Amino acid sequence: MPLRLDVQKVMSVASERVKCCDIHPIEPWVLSALYSGHVFIWNYETQALVKSFEVCDLPVRCAKFIPKKQWFVCGTDDMKIQVYNYNTMERVHAFEAHSDYIRCIAVHPTLPVILSSSDDMFIKLWDWEKNWECHRVYEGHSHYVMQVEFNPKDTNTFASASLDHTIKIWGLTSSAPYFSLEGHERGINCVSYFQGGDKPYLVSGADDCSVKIWDYQTKTCIKTLTGHQANVSAVCFHPELPIILSGSEDGTVRLWHSLTFTLENTFNYAMERVWALAYLKGSNKVAIGFDEGTVMVQIGQEEPVVSMDSSGKIVFARIHEIVQKNARQGDKKAADGERLELPAKDLGTCDLYPQSLQHNRNGRLVCACGDGEYVIYTSLRLKNKSYGQAIEFCWANDSGTYAIRETTSKLKVFKNFKKHRDFRPRFSVEGIFGGTLLAARGAKHVDFYDWEECRLIRRISVVPKKIFWSESGDMCIIACKSSFYVLRYNRDLVHKFLADGQEIGDNGIEKSFDLEGRPVAESVVTGHFVGDCFLFTNSSQRLCYYIGKQTITLAHLDRPMFLLGYLVKENRVYLMDKQYNVVSYKLLMSLLVYQIAIVRKDFEMAERSLEEIPVDQHNKIARFLEAQDLKEIALKVSRDPDHRFDLALQLKKLDIVKKIVSDYPSEAKWKQLGDLALSEKFDLKLTEECYTKAKDYGGLLLLHTSLGNADGVSDLAKSAAESGQNNVAFICHYLLNDVTKCIDLLCANGRIPEAAFMTRTFRPSETKSILARWKEHLSSVSAKAAEALADPEVYPQEFPNFKIGCLAQGKLEQDHKSTGLLPAKAYLEAKKGYFVDVLKGFTGGSRAVYTSSPVVHN
């Protein structure tokens, strides 16, 4: 059966002819070496050009990343090897390496050396830690050496492909080849080692349009693959998938099964000839270099094929090999995110290439599905229990019931390995999902069916990637591309509806599901239910859990990780990465029980559970309770003074707020307490105390002036001036009618012009002295401007009523002393005496009424 691997285009960028490409192991970058002499670095996630290097006027035929040095090294047609730092974009080194074009560069996986091959028929070994000294020259080919590659299973050996029709195997310590492989009728362009399993295989591609598979131990060709219509320019064994890739000048890339050697797929992106292929270990991505640009594809799924049962036994597939680990054997004291050293047990080889592994409910069986087939094994010994043809497979919550998608139009349900029922939905089925109900996904909707009679329960107009059910079967998560929906299944309603024999409409049974809240904007990658708590990893590489309409982040992951499950006794969540490394994160079951009880409004259960939760987790619980709008309980639970302060403030519990502030004082908290005391209790004494400790001069000004507290305003003026709050100090002096201090404050802050105008208005008798200070101050800027300032005694005609103003000044000062600072409640009466002409009483007019702080017109 075919592998049925989906090929998805990840990136497609146009450029000149790409002679070589490479993928960075950490950054999302593809390196493209161009025939035009440039080297480009592309971001395959954004399809943006990250870096551009103008290396040479001649073609660059090969280029490779050296991540440990933050370099890339390239070979150019001026016979030089050039080294660049891809971060600083500086050329680190350049040297003449060969006497003809450089065809290929291979970087040793551990040693500080590279190999280069050339049209001069030599292969050379260079050591970058010894200033790029040439350690050894390998001679033996009689034509251009097109490619070299290190053996991943024995890095002291390497293979070379040449136009002399041979592949040669070499050792790093010998200048002569160990042996040659011959069989191609024309020149060989490319060679690649098999990286999976123990098979000693090589693959080669040549100008005879064929691809050959070699056993380099027996030195024989075991298979020749034909089909390309032009020279085969690039080949590789994929390190993660059971496929061989070959690229040709006919413009196609072909995928071959690495075990059966059958053709699986052919794709053509209409970008002319293929020149290069690049893969990345631990990833399913492949970069392809064409005449007209670079393409990256993803072959199959990125997730590891893995399943963990409720006891912690992990079963995963490495191509056809099935391996078991036990999460319970990990270090109980391991830090969160630390790799667990778990012994691996080989269970055997699967008869098919599994693209999914699924345990049943009790964990005794595991199903492998792929290649259009499924096989059900015992999980401990991998003993075959059942098999058949299927595109997809899923288990029911019942351990012995399962369903298969045989075709896009036919589904079958089995019970205890015997066919129970088959049916044909009235649409093309694109996927199936197990759980409490059987779900079938169409192009625009998903239908839910009961397992017993395959009756339609509900049609929902969303297209899910995955569906998850809680253990009780009451909750369901429908995970779509960028969000997920939380549904509650009304089991009793559905059972009654079916028992009554009512007719089911095209959309199923109304109210069989209730939507809880709005869609959650999280792209779920993997998920698992623990009670009513939904654990999941998302596309942003975060481990989260959802409970009570709230998403809580448990950890930020440093690489893509895939959720395996949760073990109650260990209180830990387990995850696996693409390299099959297992890590765990602590998540207390008692904490989940508490949160689930809160969501269910079972406060007695929650209170009992709280006793089992360590105190260091109480702050986390309090945050959760606050989000659930249970602030009273959150205040009791929280141990964080800042959080308790915020909660008490929201609940307007003045006594608790005051105690917290007294124990953990801060100016901001005193200010908030003062506002609360004023707005809720109108406790003016406490408000004044709080504002004083908070140094809230604006609040104190409002408080004292509202009460007409002249002593308070006077003290405030002093403390505000000492703290540099000159505006507040000025207003205090002004309200106390202490104009002299206002003027002094202005002068002390270098604001002499304002002081002069204020003196002219409120203290005309002191105009002469302030005028002298003003002239002295202004003369440092402009002597002419200083001389232009007029003295009332010298130019009386410029100051009408100046002498009368001096007389009015004395009378106003006497009235101000008798009036004092008025409280806010006296404003309506006092304002009647404001805005009067104070000169009328001294120029024969009617008697003026003087109040505090009148506007004086001289």
Side-chain angles (χ1 to χ4, degrees):
M1 294 295 288
L3 286 173
R4 299 183 184 273
L5 292 171
D6 292 331
V7 179
Q8 297 180 346
K9 188 192 295 183
V10 176
M11 180 191 80
S12 180
V13 290
S15 68
E16 298 92 347
R17 185 187 307 168
V18 179
K19 294 298 293 181
C20 182
C21 50
D22 194 23
I23 305 175
H24 197 283
I26 300 172
E27 301 292 342
W29 292 349
V30 174
L31 182 74
S32 299
L34 307 185
Y35 195 78
S36 64
H38 289 76
V39 172
F40 289 164
I41 297 178
W42 303 94
N43 185 314
Y44 56 75
E45 291 180 348
T46 63
Q47 304 203 32
L49 181 62
V50 178
K51 314 268 185 180
S52 174
F53 300 83
E54 190 171 345
V55 176
C56 184
D57 294 332
L58 299 172
V60 182
R61 296 182 186 271
C62 51
K64 294 289 182 181
F65 281 117
I66 305 180
K68 66 180 74 174
K69 301 295 289 184
Q70 299 178 353
W71 293 344
F72 73 81
V73 57
C74 59
T76 54
D77 275 7
D78 58 3
M79 285 77 83
K80 291 181 179 179
I81 289 178
Q82 302 194 44
V83 186
Y84 284 81
N85 184 307
Y86 53 69
N87 284 334
T88 64
M89 300 184 69
E90 295 177 345
R91 187 166 70 177
V92 177
H93 198 66
F95 59 94
E96 188 167 329
H98 289 271
S99 58
D100 208 336
Y101 298 159
I102 301 170
R103 291 286 180 173
C104 182
I105 289 174
V107 181
H108 195 281
T110 56
L111 300 176
V113 295
I114 66 169
L115 286 171
S116 63
S117 66
S118 167
D119 287 358
D120 63 8
M121 299 179 287
F122 294 133
I123 303 168
K124 296 184 179 182
L125 183 68
W126 309 90
D127 189 331
W128 69 68
E129 286 191 349
K130 296 184 178 179
N131 197 31
W132 295 96
E133 175 186 323
C134 181
H135 261 325
R136 193 172 301 276
V137 178
Y138 303 90
E139 301 180 51
H141 281 295
S142 57
H143 209 309
Y144 303 163
V145 185
M146 302 300 288
Q147 187 174 355
V148 289
E149 181 170 296
F150 285 104
N151 186 342
K153 297 171 185 174
D154 179 7
T155 54
N156 290 318
T157 62
F158 65 91
S160 61
S162 171
L163 295 187
D164 63 8
H165 303 189
T166 68
I167 299 166
K168 294 187 185 296
I169 307 299
W170 312 74
L172 288 180
T173 58
S174 174
S175 297
Y178 291 157
F179 57 87
S180 298
L181 301 173
E182 298 182 16
H184 280 289
E185 297 176 1
R186 299 187 64 185
I188 304 172
N189 297 308
C190 45
V191 66
S192 178
Y193 278 97
F194 178 62
Q195 300 192 33
D198 300 325
K199 294 177 181 177
Y201 286 175
L202 276 170
V203 61
S204 61
D207 288 345
D208 59 10
C209 307
S210 71
V211 175
K212 287 184 180 290
I213 314 300
W214 307 84
D215 185 321
Y216 56 80
Q217 288 186 351
T218 62
K219 305 180 182 62
T220 58
C221 175
I222 61 173
K223 190 67 176 180
T224 299
L225 310 178
T226 58
H228 283 295
Q229 304 301 310
N231 301 342
V232 179
S233 50
V235 292
C236 70
F237 275 107
H238 197 281
E240 306 297 328
L241 300 170
I243 58 171
I244 300 167
L245 293 102
S246 61
S248 168
E249 292 181 31
D250 64 10
T252 67
V253 175
R254 295 187 174 228
L255 271 62
W256 314 81
H257 199 299
S258 62
L259 297 182
T260 63
F261 305 121
T262 55
L263 180 64
E264 294 290 333
N265 202 345
T266 301
F267 46 94
N268 187 336
Y269 291 108
M271 298 180 76
E272 299 298 332
R273 294 172 293 183
V274 178
W275 293 106
L277 294 169
Y279 57 81
L280 179 63
K281 191 169 179 60
S283 171
N284 288 10
K285 294 182 174 65
V286 175
I288 311 165
F290 290 91
D291 266 334
E292 296 181 356
T294 306
V295 171
M296 174 171 272
V297 296
Q298 179 175 305
I299 303 172
Q301 62 186 28
E302 285 283 294
E303 291 183 33
V305 180
V306 62
S307 178
M308 185 175 85
D309 66 13
S310 57
S311 68
K313 291 185 177 64
I314 303 166
V315 176
F316 61 94
R318 284 179 172 160
I319 304 183
H320 288 268
E321 297 174 355
I322 307 298
V323 183
Q324 185 185 79
K325 293 183 178 181
N326 193 331
R328 294 186 186 277
Q329 295 177 354
D331 183 2
K332 301 298 187 292
K333 297 180 181 179
D336 284 354
E338 181 183 346
R339 177 186 172 187
L340 299 177
E341 296 294 337
L342 302 176
K345 176 184 177 183
D346 290 330
L347 294 181
T349 302
C350 186
D351 297 330
L352 49 84
Y353 170 62
Q355 292 178 260
S356 71
L357 284 172
Q358 299 178 51
H359 279 98
N360 70 340
R361 182 70 177 269
N362 60 26
R364 294 175 183 174
L365 301 173
V366 63
C367 178
C369 186
D371 293 356
E373 299 179 357
Y374 74 94
V375 183
I376 299 176
Y377 299 99
T378 58
S379 58
L380 293 179
R381 298 182 181 275
L382 211 67
K383 182 180 178 181
N384 191 324
K385 296 290 289 183
S386 183
Y387 63 93
Q389 292 187 353
I391 301 173
E392 263 186 300
F393 177 99
C394 65
W395 291 103
N397 278 354
D398 172 12
S399 296
T401 305
Y402 58 90
I404 62 168
R405 178 164 70 102
E406 195 170 74
T407 66
T408 57
S409 61
K410 187 175 182 181
L411 307 182
K412 290 184 177 181
V413 176
F414 292 80
K415 284 194 174 185
N416 299 320
F417 311 117
K418 295 180 180 180
K419 189 173 75 170
H420 172 68
R421 186 178 294 272
D422 58 10
F423 71 104
R424 296 178 181 271
R426 291 179 292 178
F427 57 90
S428 177
V429 180
E430 298 179 355
I432 59 172
F433 310 93
T436 302
L437 299 175
L438 171 61
R441 183 187 69 210
K444 296 181 179 179
H445 64 271
V446 60
D447 283 0
F448 289 90
Y449 302 90
D450 73 311
W451 288 94
E452 189 61 34
E453 298 186 31
C454 300
R455 293 165 291 191
L456 177 65
I457 302 301
R458 190 63 178 154
R459 171 169 289 185
I460 300 176
S461 298
V462 295
V463 182
K465 292 192 306 179
K466 296 184 178 181
I467 293 177
F468 306 91
W469 285 89
S470 65
E471 296 170 6
S472 64
D474 295 332
M475 288 188 68
C476 174
I477 297 287
I478 299 181
C480 300
K481 185 176 181 180
S482 58
S483 61
F484 68 84
Y485 299 82
V486 183
L487 305 177
R488 190 164 289 278
Y489 177 50
N490 297 317
R491 189 195 307 269
D492 293 340
L493 183 148
V494 171
H495 284 179
K496 185 176 185 305
F497 190 97
L498 297 177
D500 292 344
Q502 299 183 49
E503 183 179 351
I504 300 175
D506 292 340
N507 291 322
I509 302 171
E510 290 286 339
K511 298 183 180 180
S512 54
F513 286 96
D514 291 328
L515 177 64
E516 293 201 343
R518 296 183 177 181
V520 182
E522 294 280 2
S523 179
V524 175
V525 177
T526 51
H528 179 78
F529 262 102
V530 180
D532 287 352
C533 170
F534 179 58
L535 291 161
F536 66 94
T537 58
N538 64 13
S539 57
S540 302
Q541 295 182 197
R542 287 186 290 121
L543 172 61
C544 308
Y545 65 94
Y546 176 89
I547 186 169
K549 301 179 183 180
Q550 184 180 355
T551 301
I552 300 169
T553 298
L554 187 60
H556 291 269
L557 308 174
D558 59 357
R559 61 192 185 280
M561 302 291 290
F562 306 93
L563 188 62
L564 297 175
Y566 178 83
L567 296 182
V568 175
K569 291 184 179 179
E570 274 68 22
N571 287 307
R572 298 193 79 83
V573 184
Y574 292 87
L575 303 97
M576 177 179 277
D577 64 14
K578 296 176 184 178
Q579 285 73 43
Y580 309 105
N581 298 311
V582 178
V583 302
S584 67
Y585 289 87
K586 185 177 181 180
L587 180 59
L588 296 175
M589 187 62 199
S590 55
L591 175 63
L592 294 180
V593 169
Y594 180 88
Q595 292 177 324
I596 291 169
I598 288 294
V599 171
R600 294 176 176 175
K601 307 298 182 185
D602 188 350
F603 297 113
E604 291 183 7
M605 170 66 79
E607 192 170 348
R608 291 196 299 271
S609 301
L610 185 62
E611 298 174 0
E612 302 175 11
I613 301 175
V615 175
D616 61 0
Q617 297 291 317
H618 283 200
N619 291 333
K620 183 186 291 187
I621 293 173
R623 297 286 181 187
F624 170 77
L625 291 166
E626 183 183 12
Q628 298 296 310
D629 200 27
L630 298 171
K631 297 183 177 66
E632 290 274 4
I633 305 176
L635 181 60
K636 295 178 182 177
V637 172
S638 179
R639 296 292 183 270
D640 180 2
D642 291 332
H643 190 210
R644 294 189 73 245
F645 174 83
D646 292 337
L647 291 168
L649 201 65
Q650 293 175 56
L651 295 169
K652 299 177 182 178
K653 294 190 176 291
L654 193 63
D655 295 340
I656 297 177
V657 174
K658 185 178 180 182
K659 185 178 186 310
I660 295 172
V661 177
S662 301
D663 294 340
Y664 305 95
S666 74
E667 291 183 2
K669 289 178 180 177
W670 281 116
K671 162 67 174 167
Q672 289 174 287
L673 175 58
D675 292 343
L676 182 64
L678 186 62
S679 62
E680 294 300 319
K681 301 294 185 180
F682 205 66
D683 188 336
L684 299 180
K685 183 177 180 181
L686 178 58
T687 301
E688 181 179 356
E689 178 189 353
C690 294
Y691 285 172
T692 301
K693 292 181 177 179
K695 298 182 180 179
D696 181 10
Y697 299 114
L700 287 169
L701 179 63
L702 175 64
L703 186 64
H704 292 321
T705 53
S706 298
L707 298 174
N709 184 357
D711 292 337
V713 173
S714 179
D715 293 340
L716 177 60
K718 182 179 178 181
S719 57
E722 291 173 351
S723 299
Q725 299 290 322
N726 294 316
N727 287 342
V728 174
F730 180 89
I731 293 171
C732 290
H733 291 315
Y734 183 78
L735 292 174
L736 292 172
N737 296 298
D738 197 340
V739 178
T740 300
K741 289 186 178 179
C742 289
I743 295 169
D744 291 343
L745 189 62
L746 289 169
C747 292
N749 285 277
R751 305 182 68 168
I752 295 177
E754 291 96 324
F757 280 102
M758 189 167 193
T759 302
R760 169 73 177 84
T761 304
F762 293 100
R763 288 288 187 275
S765 62
E766 299 174 13
T767 302
K768 190 173 184 65
S769 61
I770 194 65
L771 182 62
R773 294 183 65 177
W774 191 7
K775 285 187 175 185
E776 181 182 356
H777 174 74
L778 188 58
S779 62
S780 61
V781 179
S782 172
K784 187 174 181 180
E787 289 299 324
L789 295 174
D791 187 335
E793 294 183 0
V794 179
Y795 299 97
Q797 69 277 9
E798 300 297 332
F799 299 88
N801 296 325
F802 181 76
K803 292 184 178 180
I804 297 173
C806 292
L807 294 173
Q809 172 188 331
K811 180 59 179 174
L812 285 172
E813 289 174 351
Q814 292 177 8
D815 289 347
H816 289 159
K817 288 179 182 179
S818 62
T819 305
L821 181 65
L822 299 176
K825 63 182 180 181
Y827 171 73
L828 292 176
E829 183 65 29
K831 74 173 184 177
K832 298 175 183 178
Y834 285 5
F835 306 110
V836 298
D837 189 346
V838 299
L839 299 181
K840 285 185 179 180
F842 299 93
T843 56
S846 62
R847 178 72 177 178
V849 178
Y850 304 110
T851 62
S852 62
S853 305
V855 177
V856 180
H857 298 284
N858 288 336

